[in-house]
Amino acid sequence: MPDRGSGPSGPRMRVGRPSRRSRTLLMTLGVLAVLGMVFVMFAGFWTDWLWFRSVKYSTVFTTTLWTRVGLFAVFGLLMAGAVGLNIWLAYRLRPPLSAMSLEQQSLDRYRMSIAPYKKWLLVGISALVGMIAGASAAGQWKTWLMYVNGVPFGRKDPQFRLDVSFYTFDLPWYRFLLGFGFAAVILSVIAAVVVHYLYGGLRVTSPGARATAAATGHLSVLLGLFVTLKAVAYWLDRYGLAVKSSDFKAADNWTGLRYVDANAYLPAKTILVAIAAICAALFFATLWRRTWQLPVIGFGLMVLSAILIGGLYPAIVQKFQVQPNEQAKEAPYVEKNIKATRDAYGIDQSEVKDYPGVPQTDDKAKLRQAAGTNASIRILDPNIVSPAFQQLQQVKGYYAFPSTLAVDRYSGQDTVIGLRELNIGGIPKNNWINDHFKYTHGYGVVAAKGTTVDDQGAPDFTQSDLPSKGMFGTDFEQRIYYGERTTQYSIVGGPQKELDYSDDKGEKETSYQGDSGVNLDNPVNRAAYALAFSEPQILYSGAIGEGSRILYNRTPKERVEAVAPWLTIDGAPYPAVIDGRIKWIVDAYTTTNGYPYASRTTLGQSTADSLTNSQRAVVAQENQVNYIRNSVKATVDAYDGTVTLYQWDAEDPVLKTWMKAFPGTVKTKSEISKPLMDHLRYPQDLFKVQRELLTRYHVTDPQTFLSGSEAWAVPDDPTTKAGTAVPPYYLSMKMPGQAEKDQVFSLTTTFTPNERDNLSAFMAVNADPGTRDYGKIRILKLPTSKPVDGPKQVQSKFQSEPKIAESIRLLRGGDSEVEYGNLLAVPLEGGMLYVEPVYVRSSGLKYPLLRKVLVTYGGQTAFEDTLDKALNVVFGAEAPTTPVNPPPGEGTVTPPTAQDPTVKAALADAQKAIEEADKAMKAGDWAAYGKAQSDLQAALKRAIDAEAKQSAPKPAG
């Protein structure tokens, strides 16, 4: 047989290095992959920068960015340095190799394998822990900015007599530093133990000492540092007691020291500081003594002390000193909690007055007159009539109104208002061009009187149609590029025309002329947004050209939160027509959870009611806070998206701190224009947080607070079956004891006793910034001896009264649906007047119409077609007639009693002008309406001047 190994048995395959062409291709692909990953990371950064620059808040972006970068670098390097130093030190302190045990022989294989890479391992491990620590530190940018920019509150906590700013601005940063120190020491100990074990400094099974002297000294120092940090932690825990939440039957989320904290935990923490300091000294002494005996004993005693002094002793104090006489022991601390909580939530100036709850007069005419003048009772429910706006004013399917409309006031009249926003789901044909280029905006404002409806029960529109016309005129920017429903991006201003609106003459097109948005006229920006929105067509579409701009972050809440990430945003922005523009008004809050002694609340829970949904929920609703201020009023222009922040609470130290951190971002209160001021109001979410706290904290006596005998509850909404809280209602009214003589735009709510349905209190806040009592909270406390019907009881009586029940049954005939509107409560002459509109949605209509009004007062109930008729039936008297009805906002004008011919002629002209105005409004002739209003003003002025001249004192002699 031939020798197979001696000669060629066939062709051989040569395995060699790849060709130069292949190597070049692989290198090119690798470089492209790296560049691709870098560009993906760059795209997010770049688009953020472009957006902040477009809204002119680039300083927010840069300040936040450099703060994050600085924290990442500093704390990343510190962590990397600490861990790397201890790894290097443990390696340097390794013992010389001697006779190898089995344990060391096994470890030797690992030592040999990592020997060529030990420098890279040192750098890699240090870099990894440094990056993790740096990323964690970067997330603390708010804590750092508050620490370095904090301003004093000017108020001290009652226990340690430190300014509140220590707890809100300083203590969180100290706690972060402490946590970072613990992490650095623990990671250093782990790294040192691993290296010492790997190189023989620590032994588990080898004969002889378990640790070398060098390893013992090294680890002792690290453990000494750990115990030192523990001593610092015990010291900070003393102050932490002032902001510690605990379970306490007197209140949920109780915050602050109680008797056991002040008399057991506080001294225990002080003692533990001393014990930990001694224990740390024993660990450091190991550098000279070279033995673990004393430090281990000291550490064991510290742990035992923590259990006995820090745990068992307070439990004994609570069991044998507090519980047998809890009210007396806890009363001083409850008093501190009440005062701090009322201060922190701005309810310390709440005025609580007793209110009889039953009519204090039998004069029917007087009661009927008061019912007409004490409140502008709103029968148009903004939560019910959105479908009516939708059906009557939507015009096209690609428009939509929000499910809950806004309540504002115009010319002194409560007005329900909504914007005709873009509805992407209603576009006739959805495709990329239609969704993002053609259908880009809504169009027009629709408003209706809050206190009246038309003859059919539909909203009585004062601004309507498309283009919108009416009380605001037509000479204002009606396009709505930014709104609550506008969540998609649009590309505008380029070669592709946009649909403005359509009418009988066809489609009207437009091209965006605003300054908002980011230019897409260069390939870098287009590529970045193609990546950011995962839409490659942005990169190459011919619909994008010179002048094209991309609009996004388009809801008012999104925009305000983005430019001011340190604010908490109210859940109910609302639109207003101001100086020829539609502006969204957004309330914003500064909050903290570090106010000493003030009990905490969860924003999402406190602000939830029967109207809360994903669109109306407060931003950061999961946040727990114990201090809140409506410190900022913001506006967002509906056309160009301009965001403007105004300082509203000039005394708020939290806002002052953020204004130091972000100078120039918030304008002063004095820069708020008069037209804007006329539409500002007290915010709903703040009111809901305050009313939740006032269910308990209306009580200022500690003993009564502890007993819980006067605790209230926010009633469930009786008009729904969801079992959720009744929402607060905006209403122009006069509260007993208010400073203003006329009706004031107010925000109102009711309270019931815990687990009972009768009325315990009525609460209202002056919501009109144009009045001197703005923000004043007034509470009318009803007697417990004579129960007054609460909302649920009133609703039950409405539905159970035979005549009303029969009428409602008839209204439901033919598959019609009955919907109950807002149940309004109004204090009136000692009693409570309840009014509820009743809507009917017949099977042939897609929207509800007001058909009946329910009214009850003093045990009398009426169910009539109109509010006036229902009030007449309840009070058994007709509404008084007035010769002159002034225009909205002018108040009631009583004609002069003198029979001066000039006065009589002027009043006759005024009456004629009123009639002309009514005719013009019904006809929709707004030019004639404006002329009639001018004539009315002139006539009233003539009458007033003539009366003043007539009543002026004549010169003597």
Side-chain angles (χ1 to χ4, degrees):
M1 294 181 64
D3 184 357
R4 295 183 180 180
S6 61
S9 58
R12 292 186 178 180
M13 296 183 65
R14 296 184 60 187
V15 179
R17 297 176 62 190
S19 66
R20 177 175 296 181
R21 183 177 181 183
S22 299
R23 292 198 305 271
T24 303
L25 179 62
L26 289 173
M27 290 180 63
T28 302
L29 291 175
V31 170
L32 289 175
V34 171
L35 289 176
M37 288 188 292
V38 169
F39 188 77
V40 168
M41 292 186 291
F42 167 77
F45 163 82
W46 184 241
T47 54
D48 284 346
W49 161 247
L50 291 174
W51 186 86
F52 276 96
R53 191 175 65 175
S54 74
V55 294
K56 299 178 176 60
Y57 281 89
S58 55
T59 55
V60 174
F61 179 82
T62 54
T63 299
T64 304
L65 174 66
W66 289 118
T67 302
R68 287 174 178 269
V69 169
L71 291 173
F72 178 89
V74 170
F75 287 94
L77 288 173
L78 285 175
M79 182 64 77
V83 173
L85 175 64
N86 281 282
I87 291 175
W88 176 82
L89 190 58
Y91 177 76
R92 291 280 299 195
L93 296 175
R94 68 191 186 280
L97 295 179
S98 56
M100 302 290 286
S101 65
L102 291 176
E103 180 183 21
Q104 295 303 311
Q105 289 177 7
S106 299
L107 291 173
D108 193 49
R109 291 196 297 270
Y110 295 103
R111 290 193 285 263
M112 294 288 290
S113 61
I114 66 172
Y117 311 106
K118 56 180 181 289
K119 289 185 179 180
W120 289 107
L121 280 172
L122 173 63
V123 172
I125 293 172
S126 300
L128 179 62
V129 296
M131 291 179 67
I132 295 173
S136 176
Q140 298 294 321
W141 64 273
K142 290 183 181 180
T143 307
W144 166 250
L145 287 177
M146 292 181 80
Y147 172 70
V148 295
N149 295 288
V151 300
F153 274 66
R155 281 169 279 182
K156 296 183 178 181
D157 79 282
Q159 181 66 42
F160 300 102
R161 307 306 300 167
L162 295 174
D163 191 89
V164 171
S165 61
F166 170 79
Y167 300 93
T168 55
F169 304 141
D170 299 345
L171 188 58
W173 179 249
Y174 297 153
R175 282 176 163 168
F176 164 72
L177 292 179
L178 186 64
F180 179 84
F182 274 122
V185 171
I186 290 171
L187 289 175
S188 297
V189 168
I190 293 172
V193 166
V194 170
V195 175
H196 278 302
Y197 176 70
L198 183 64
Y199 286 94
L202 296 176
R203 305 180 181 92
V204 177
T205 61
S206 299
R210 299 300 183 196
T212 62
T216 299
H218 184 195
L219 294 177
S220 295
V221 170
L222 291 176
L223 292 174
L225 289 174
F226 179 86
V227 179
T228 301
L229 290 174
K230 191 63 181 172
V232 176
Y234 282 135
W235 184 256
L236 289 181
D237 285 347
R238 299 168 67 255
Y239 303 109
L241 293 172
V243 290
K244 182 194 72 171
S245 288
S246 59
D247 295 330
F248 191 29
K249 66 180 182 180
D252 297 331
N253 293 315
W254 172 274
T255 303
L257 284 82
R258 290 159 52 191
Y259 180 90
V260 69
D261 297 313
N263 295 278
Y265 280 112
L266 187 57
K269 297 290 184 183
T270 305
I271 294 170
L272 287 172
V273 169
I275 293 174
I278 294 171
C279 184
L282 292 176
F283 273 105
F284 292 132
T286 306
L287 284 171
W288 296 276
R289 293 181 56 84
R290 304 296 184 181
T291 174
W292 291 86
Q293 186 176 6
L294 285 178
V296 169
I297 293 173
F299 188 78
L301 289 174
M302 187 183 76
V303 173
L304 183 63
S305 300
I307 296 172
L308 296 178
I309 302 174
L312 185 60
Y313 173 61
I316 293 172
V317 171
Q318 178 69 24
K319 180 70 174 176
F320 295 103
Q321 289 190 32
V322 178
Q323 289 184 6
N325 193 16
E326 186 173 44
Q327 288 204 347
K329 295 290 187 182
E330 299 288 15
Y333 304 96
V334 171
E335 185 175 7
K336 295 174 185 177
N337 174 269
I338 291 173
K339 185 180 186 306
T341 302
R342 288 170 63 89
D343 287 344
Y345 290 93
I347 56 177
D348 51 315
Q349 299 300 316
S350 301
E351 181 182 276
V352 181
K353 289 186 175 181
D354 290 332
Y355 189 72
V358 294
Q360 299 299 291
T361 179
D362 295 329
D363 189 336
K364 295 180 179 179
K366 181 180 179 181
L367 288 170
R368 179 63 183 89
Q369 182 179 14
T373 58
N374 277 27
S376 296
I377 299 173
R378 180 171 41 76
I379 57 174
L380 196 68
D381 186 349
N383 316 310
I384 298 290
V385 299
S386 179
F389 275 52
Q390 199 89 340
Q391 187 68 20
L392 298 173
Q393 292 296 321
Q394 177 185 1
V395 183
K396 298 293 182 181
Y398 46 81
Y399 294 131
F401 291 92
S403 58
T404 299
L405 302 174
V407 177
D408 203 348
R409 61 258 188 241
Y410 289 89
S411 300
Q413 182 181 82
D414 290 1
T415 301
V416 176
I417 185 171
L419 301 188
R420 193 184 285 112
E421 294 190 45
L422 179 65
N423 174 28
I424 283 292
I427 293 176
K429 185 177 181 180
N430 288 101
N431 55 54
W432 191 61
I433 294 294
N434 277 350
D435 291 353
H436 299 288
F437 289 82
K438 184 173 183 178
Y439 295 89
T440 59
H441 59 280
Y443 202 99
V445 181
V446 177
K449 295 179 181 178
T451 54
T452 61
V453 293
D454 67 13
D455 296 339
Q456 303 300 315
D460 187 0
F461 293 110
T462 56
Q463 184 82 17
S464 58
D465 300 334
L466 187 68
S468 176
K469 58 181 180 291
M471 61 189 289
F472 306 134
T474 58
D475 190 20
F476 66 98
E477 181 55 70
Q478 299 194 27
R479 297 173 183 87
I480 302 156
Y481 282 87
Y482 295 87
E484 287 187 285
R485 300 178 60 94
T486 315
T487 55
Q488 77 288 350
Y489 71 88
S490 290
I491 299 176
V492 298
Q496 176 67 49
K497 292 294 183 180
E498 309 160 46
L499 176 65
D500 220 355
Y501 63 90
S502 59
D503 56 20
D504 296 338
K505 298 179 181 179
E507 292 185 346
K508 309 293 183 181
E509 292 186 328
T510 188
S511 186
Y512 185 66
Q513 301 298 317
D515 294 330
S516 64
V518 178
N519 284 322
L520 294 178
D521 51 7
N522 69 73
V524 175
N525 288 3
R526 291 175 69 166
Y529 279 102
L531 277 173
F533 290 108
S534 301
E535 182 49 73
Q537 293 186 79
I538 294 176
L539 188 59
Y540 55 77
S541 173
I544 302 175
E546 184 178 354
S548 290
R549 311 172 75 88
I550 186 167
L551 312 181
Y552 60 104
N553 286 351
R554 298 171 69 183
T555 69
K557 287 195 292 186
E558 277 182 321
R559 295 182 77 76
V560 176
E561 186 184 24
V563 302
W566 32 273
L567 292 174
T568 299
I569 312 302
D570 189 272
Y574 59 99
V577 179
I578 301 168
D579 293 332
R581 311 284 287 193
I582 301 172
K583 293 184 183 290
W584 290 96
I585 299 175
V586 185
D587 285 288
Y589 311 108
T590 47
T591 62
T592 179
N593 68 350
Y595 197 100
Y597 270 101
S599 289
R600 291 184 171 90
T601 187
T602 303
L603 289 179
Q605 295 174 0
S606 298
T607 58
D609 59 35
S610 61
L611 301 178
T612 303
N613 53 39
S614 58
Q615 185 173 300
R616 290 177 62 88
V618 62
V619 172
Q621 58 180 318
E622 298 303 318
N623 283 11
Q624 272 208 335
V625 304
N626 67 353
Y627 172 91
I628 185 168
R629 289 290 185 273
N630 177 213
S631 53
V632 171
K633 300 284 188 180
T635 62
V636 178
D637 192 289
Y639 180 74
D640 63 20
T642 300
V643 181
T644 308
L645 307 176
Y646 295 100
Q647 181 183 22
W648 185 246
D649 188 342
E651 303 301 320
D652 177 30
V654 181
L655 178 61
K656 290 179 181 179
T657 295
W658 287 117
M659 289 176 70
K660 280 181 64 179
F662 296 98
T665 57
V666 182
K667 295 186 176 182
T668 62
K669 188 175 183 177
S670 61
E671 296 180 75
I672 299 177
S673 67
K674 177 62 167 60
L676 173 58
M677 183 70 77
D678 290 341
H679 293 282
L680 300 181
R681 67 188 191 188
Y682 201 83
Q684 292 186 55
D685 284 337
L686 175 61
F687 183 79
K688 287 188 278 189
V689 169
Q690 290 174 326
R691 77 171 177 178
E692 178 65 30
L693 269 295
L694 281 167
T695 58
R696 293 159 288 149
Y697 286 94
H698 66 279
V699 174
T700 56
D701 175 60
Q703 300 292 344
T704 307
F705 187 91
L706 280 166
S707 70
S709 60
E710 293 196 16
W712 298 337
V714 178
D716 290 340
D717 189 346
T719 65
T720 68
K721 297 180 180 179
T724 48
V726 63
Y729 296 121
Y730 285 106
L731 188 68
S732 290
M733 58 174 292
K734 287 192 285 188
M735 273 286 281
Q738 76 176 30
E740 291 77 14
K741 295 180 180 180
D742 298 324
Q743 295 176 12
V744 172
F745 194 61
S746 306
L747 194 53
T748 65
T749 193
T750 53
F751 294 108
T752 58
N754 266 338
E755 300 181 359
R756 292 169 60 193
D757 294 327
N758 57 288
L759 192 67
S760 58
F762 176 85
M763 170 180 165
V765 64
N766 183 333
D768 187 350
T771 57
R772 52 184 169 167
D773 262 0
Y774 170 77
K776 178 71 174 180
I777 296 175
R778 293 182 173 87
I779 299 174
L780 303 179
K781 182 182 175 185
L782 282 81
T784 56
S785 57
K786 295 179 181 179
V788 178
D789 287 343
K792 186 175 181 180
Q793 292 172 322
V794 169
Q795 187 72 27
S796 297
K797 288 184 178 180
F798 278 159
Q799 297 174 339
S800 61
E801 190 165 317
K803 290 183 179 180
I804 297 177
E806 177 62 20
S807 298
I808 291 175
R809 188 186 66 80
L810 292 174
L811 291 173
R812 285 199 175 105
D815 295 328
S816 296
E817 297 179 16
V818 172
E819 297 182 39
Y820 295 99
N822 37 219
L823 180 57
L824 301 177
V826 179
L828 182 68
E829 297 294 328
M832 292 300 298
L833 174 69
Y834 286 97
V835 179
E836 182 177 61
V838 178
Y839 294 84
V840 176
R841 192 194 301 256
S842 64
S843 56
L845 283 177
K846 296 181 179 179
Y847 60 92
L849 296 174
L850 181 68
R851 291 304 188 198
K852 293 285 185 180
V853 179
L854 287 161
V855 175
T856 184
Y857 181 81
Q860 300 296 317
T861 301
F863 188 57
E864 300 295 331
D865 295 340
T866 66
L867 175 61
D868 281 341
K869 289 181 181 179
L871 291 172
N872 292 343
V873 170
V874 163
F875 295 111
E878 296 287 330
T881 57
T882 53
V884 176
N885 294 316
E890 295 295 330
T892 302
V893 178
T894 303
T897 57
Q899 300 298 315
D900 183 89
T902 305
V903 174
K904 291 175 67 176
L907 291 178
D909 290 344
Q911 189 64 39
K912 182 180 178 181
I914 290 170
E915 293 169 358
E916 293 296 329
D918 288 341
K919 289 179 183 178
M921 182 176 288
K922 291 178 181 178
D925 187 347
W926 299 106
Y929 176 80
K931 183 179 182 303
Q933 290 293 314
S934 298
D935 293 343
L936 176 58
Q937 294 281 0
L940 289 174
K941 187 176 186 303
R942 290 201 308 274
I944 293 170
D945 290 345
E947 172 65 12
K949 183 177 180 181
Q950 182 185 8
S951 59
K954 297 180 180 179

